[in-house]
Amino acid sequence: MPPPTRRALIPACICLAAFASFTNAATPTVETHRMTEVTFVSTKSYADPFNEVILDVVFSPPNNCSLRVPAFWAGGNTWHVRYASGLTGIHPYRTVCSDTQNATLHDITGVILITPYTGTNPLFLHGPLRIADDHRHFSHADGTPFFWLGDTWWMGLSKRLTWPDDFQQLAANRRNKGFTVIQIVAGLFPDSPAFDQRAEGDAGLPWEPNYPHIRPEYFDAADRRILHLVEQGMMPCILGGWGYHLPWLGTEKMKQHWRYIIARWGALPVVWCASGEQAMPWYLSSNKPAETQQLRREWTEVIRSIRATDPFKRLITTHPRSNARDEVLDPTLLDFEMQQTGHGSPTEHHAAMATEAWNRPPTMPVVCGESRYEALEIKPMLHARNAREAFWAHLLNSGCAGHTYGVNGVWQVNLTDKPFGKSPSGRNWGNTPWQTAMNLPGSTQLSYAKKFLLTLPWNQLSPTSSIFTGATSAATTPSGNCALAYAAKGQTLIANLGKFTAPVAARWFDPTRGVLSDIQGTPFSNNDSREFSPPGKNADGDADWVLVLEGK
C-alpha cells in the first residue's frame, strides 16, 4: 500500500481498543465500525490555531460517497482526524486546510485499510444506531434491533468520579445490568455556572476563561472515559452542554464546541443530544420568556450546524424541559423524541405524555430521557417504586423504543465526604453518595424489565387502547398475539381476548424481581373478555404488576 504523500506528516494511527502506532511506510488498518486516528503536524506555527485553522479530511470509501470529516486541534501544531466505516476495503483520503499555503496540512493524501470486525462488541459487530424501518424503534446499522436502556451520568466527565477506578467501577455495574446507553455531558454542566470548579475534569475545564479557545487537554482526558464506555458495549449519548450555556458562549462558539465534539467522537458509535433542558434559561434569569425564545431559535441554528458538520450522520435529539419537539423551531431536525416527564408528576401523567408523543407528527421513536430519579430528595422522596412506575407507564404507551433511568447521587457524582451541593436555584437534590446510589434497587429492577422484554417481540409493540380496560399503560404487536398491560396500583384489568387469533396464555410479571407466573386456568379461550386481578403485593410489597398475554 502506498504511504501518505509529503514528508513525515502522519506519525501514528490510533485504534479504539489500543493505541497502535504505525510507521510512515505502513498502511493504517482498522476493523469495521472501529475508530482510527491519523495525526498531522504543522511546521508552520499560528498565534491562535484553534480559531485560525480549519482542517477537514475528505475520505473516499469504496461506495464512492465521499465524507468530509472535521479534524480537531490537539494543542500546539498538531491536528488529528478520526474515522470509522462499516465498509471494508481501501479508503483514500485528502486533507483540505483553510490555510492552503500550509504544505504540511493542506492536500495531504493517504489511505486507510478497513477489514471485517472479528470481536463480539455489539456496537462494532452490528454498527452504530439508526432509526428502524418502522420509524418507531432503534436498530443497529445492520438492522439488528436496539433497546435503549439509558443511565444518567450528566457529570460523568467530572474528576469527582475518578479515573480509572470510580469510572470503570460504575461502568461495570451498568454493563452487568444490561444498560445500553449512557447520557453524559461534554463539560458544560447543569446545576452550575460557567467555570464552576465542580465541573473540572481530570485536566481542568473544557474552555479557557472567557471562551477564547477549547482546551484540548480536557478532551484528551475525557477521551479515556468515552472510549471506555464504547469498549464496554454501552453507547454514549453525548450532550454538548446544558442549554443555558449558549448565551454565554454565543451561537458561533457553541457551533465550534459542537464541531470539536463531532471531530473527537463522531467516528464512535454515539448519539448526539444537542443540549440539556435546551430552552430553559439560566436559573436566576430575570427575563425568562424572552430568553426561552432566544434559546429555541439559537439552538435550532446550532442543531442545523451539527447536521451539516457530522459526516457520519449520528442520530440527533435534544433533552427538553418537556418535549424535544417543542425546544426547536423545526422538529424535523430531530431523529427521535426525547421527553422529560416530571420527577414529581403522578404515574398517569407519564403515561399520558407518552401517548401524546406517540401520536404527534412527525413520526419518530419516543424515549423518556428524564423522569423520576431514584433517591431524589423532593417531597415526598423518590424510591425504586417511583422510578419503576415511570418506566412501565411511559414505555408501553410510547412504543417500547426505550427509557432512561436516573438515580440521585450518580448524575451529579456525590462523594461521601463532599456531595455536589446546591444548585444555583438554591435547591439541594440530596447527598446520597454515588457508590450507594448505583446499587439502589431501581437500576436492577429496570434491568429485569429489559431482560424480560427481550424475550418478547418488543420491537413490534405499539400502544393500544382497544384490548385492555383499566390499564395504566398497554402495548400490543400488530398481529395481536402479544400484549402487555401495566397495573400501577394493582387494579383489576379487563382484557378483550377476542382480539387474539388463538387461545391466550396469561402470566403476571413481577417488576421488582423479574419473575413470571402463570395465571390459573391459562390458556384462556379467545372468544370473550376476561377480568385479571393481580395476585396481591409484589415481592417488594408494592401493588404494581405487568400482565402478559400471548396467543398460542
Side-chain angles (χ1 to χ4, degrees):
M1 302 292 178
T5 61
R6 295 193 178 161
R7 50 196 181 281
L9 301 176
I10 305 178
C13 171
I14 300 172
C15 297
L16 177 63
F19 291 87
S21 296
F22 296 81
T23 66
N24 289 333
T27 296
T29 301
V30 67
E31 293 179 330
T32 48
H33 298 302
R34 300 191 73 169
M35 185 181 77
T36 187
E37 179 182 280
V38 182
T39 299
F40 304 92
V41 179
S42 173
T43 58
K44 178 180 177 180
S45 295
Y46 297 89
D48 185 6
F50 177 72
N51 292 296
E52 290 182 50
V53 177
I54 297 175
L55 181 64
D56 292 328
V57 182
V58 178
F59 286 84
S60 300
N63 64 0
N64 295 319
C65 295
S66 64
L67 299 178
R68 190 179 183 110
V69 181
F72 63 90
W73 175 57
N77 291 339
T78 301
W79 281 259
H80 299 308
V81 69
R82 291 174 172 176
Y83 181 69
S85 176
L87 299 173
T88 58
I90 295 293
H91 294 240
Y93 63 80
R94 178 178 59 85
T95 64
V96 180
C97 182
S98 57
D99 182 359
T100 58
Q101 302 306 306
N102 186 338
T104 52
L105 291 183
H106 184 64
D107 205 26
I108 311 302
T109 61
V111 297
I112 290 174
L113 174 63
I114 295 184
T115 60
Y117 177 64
T118 56
T120 59
N121 187 322
L123 297 177
F124 304 136
L125 183 63
H126 301 298
L129 217 58
R130 67 175 179 86
I131 302 301
D133 292 342
D134 67 356
H135 302 288
R136 291 296 195 179
H137 298 88
F138 300 107
S139 71
H140 290 274
D142 68 357
T144 301
F146 178 93
F147 184 82
W148 178 298
L149 182 58
D151 194 26
T152 306
W153 300 18
W154 295 141
M155 301 185 189
L157 299 184
S158 164
K159 67 181 181 183
R160 296 194 309 279
L161 191 66
T162 63
W163 174 266
D165 294 346
D166 291 356
F167 193 93
Q168 292 187 5
Q169 181 186 1
L170 180 58
N173 181 285
R174 279 4 193 183
R175 178 201 62 214
N176 292 339
K177 291 176 179 175
F179 282 84
T180 57
V181 177
I182 302 298
Q183 294 178 187
I184 195 165
V185 180
L188 306 177
F189 286 163
D191 271 59
S192 55
F195 306 105
D196 190 315
Q197 290 185 346
R198 294 175 296 179
E200 288 184 354
D202 297 323
L205 294 166
W207 282 81
E208 292 289 351
N210 300 319
Y211 309 104
H213 61 77
I214 282 277
R215 298 184 66 251
E217 54 268 44
Y218 174 89
F219 288 92
D220 288 342
D223 276 349
R224 299 177 302 191
R225 298 172 182 239
I226 298 298
L227 294 176
H228 183 73
L229 293 177
V230 173
E231 290 167 2
Q232 299 306 301
M234 294 182 290
M235 183 186 65
C237 174
I238 296 173
L239 287 76
W242 226 247
Y244 59 73
H245 284 268
L246 188 149
W248 298 337
L249 274 78
T251 302
E252 292 308 311
K253 284 201 178 291
M254 187 61 79
K255 289 178 182 178
Q256 282 185 298
H257 182 73
W258 257 108
R259 175 186 164 91
Y260 200 82
I261 291 170
I262 292 166
R264 281 272 184 177
W265 299 325
L268 296 170
V270 299
V271 163
W272 304 134
C273 186
S275 66
E277 293 178 317
Q278 182 166 286
M280 183 187 77
W282 169 241
Y283 305 98
L284 306 180
S285 167
S286 60
N287 192 21
K288 290 186 177 181
E291 289 183 17
T292 294
Q293 294 311 309
Q294 175 193 0
L295 288 166
R296 291 184 69 233
R297 182 175 64 254
E298 294 185 11
W299 271 113
T300 297
E301 185 178 340
V302 172
I303 294 172
R304 285 199 177 99
S305 178
I306 295 170
R307 280 211 171 275
T309 303
D310 177 17
F312 303 106
K313 306 304 177 189
R314 303 305 185 217
L315 299 184
I316 300 175
T317 190
T318 198
H319 174 274
R321 297 162 299 162
S322 183
N323 299 286
R325 282 175 280 195
D326 293 330
E327 304 291 272
V328 293
L329 301 182
D330 180 3
T332 65
L333 290 171
L334 306 178
D335 292 302
F336 62 99
E337 172 71 273
M338 180 175 279
Q339 292 190 302
Q340 180 174 178
T341 52
H343 295 282
S345 300
T347 303
E348 293 76 13
H349 174 77
H350 296 263
M353 281 194 66
T355 300
E356 178 187 358
W358 171 271
N359 290 323
R360 181 177 177 179
T363 298
M364 56 178 61
V366 178
V367 297
C368 184
E370 181 175 343
S371 56
R372 293 168 169 171
Y373 288 166
E374 188 173 6
L376 191 70
E377 294 185 21
I378 59 176
K379 295 182 179 180
M381 185 174 174
L382 301 182
H383 298 284
R385 174 180 61 82
N386 307 106
R388 184 178 70 244
E389 287 180 359
F391 172 89
W392 284 106
H394 192 278
L395 184 83
L396 296 184
N397 274 12
S398 62
C400 294
H403 185 91
T404 297
Y405 166 80
V407 58
N408 197 54
V410 168
W411 70 263
Q412 76 276 56
V413 194
N414 281 334
L415 304 181
T416 302
D417 59 346
K418 192 175 182 180
F420 178 77
K422 290 184 178 181
S423 162
S425 66
R427 295 292 300 270
N428 185 333
W429 301 111
N431 298 330
T432 304
W434 72 266
Q435 295 96 330
T436 300
M438 74 172 176
N439 290 315
L440 292 176
S443 59
T444 298
Q445 292 174 3
L446 266 60
S447 75
Y448 293 151
K450 178 200 167 195
K451 185 176 180 180
F452 161 62
L453 287 164
L454 294 188
T455 67
L456 305 173
W458 64 270
N459 61 316
Q460 300 175 33
L461 290 168
S462 59
T464 180
S465 59
S466 64
I467 295 178
F468 300 99
T469 301
T472 306
S473 57
T476 186
T477 58
S479 67
N481 281 332
C482 178
L484 305 177
Y486 183 53
K489 298 178 180 179
Q491 67 268 33
T492 295
L493 304 177
I494 300 173
N496 182 357
L497 303 186
K499 295 287 186 179
F500 289 77
T501 59
V504 179
R507 296 178 292 173
W508 287 109
F509 176 75
D510 180 346
T512 68
R513 293 297 182 272
V515 175
L516 282 163
S517 55
D518 288 341
I519 295 175
Q520 186 176 2
T522 190
F524 299 99
S525 168
N526 60 317
N527 292 328
D528 54 14
S529 295
R530 179 174 289 272
E531 288 188 354
F532 294 95
S533 296
K537 301 293 186 181
N538 58 40
D540 266 12
D542 297 323
D544 58 319
W545 290 83
V546 179
L547 177 62
V548 186
L549 302 180
E550 294 178 276
K552 298 296 185 180

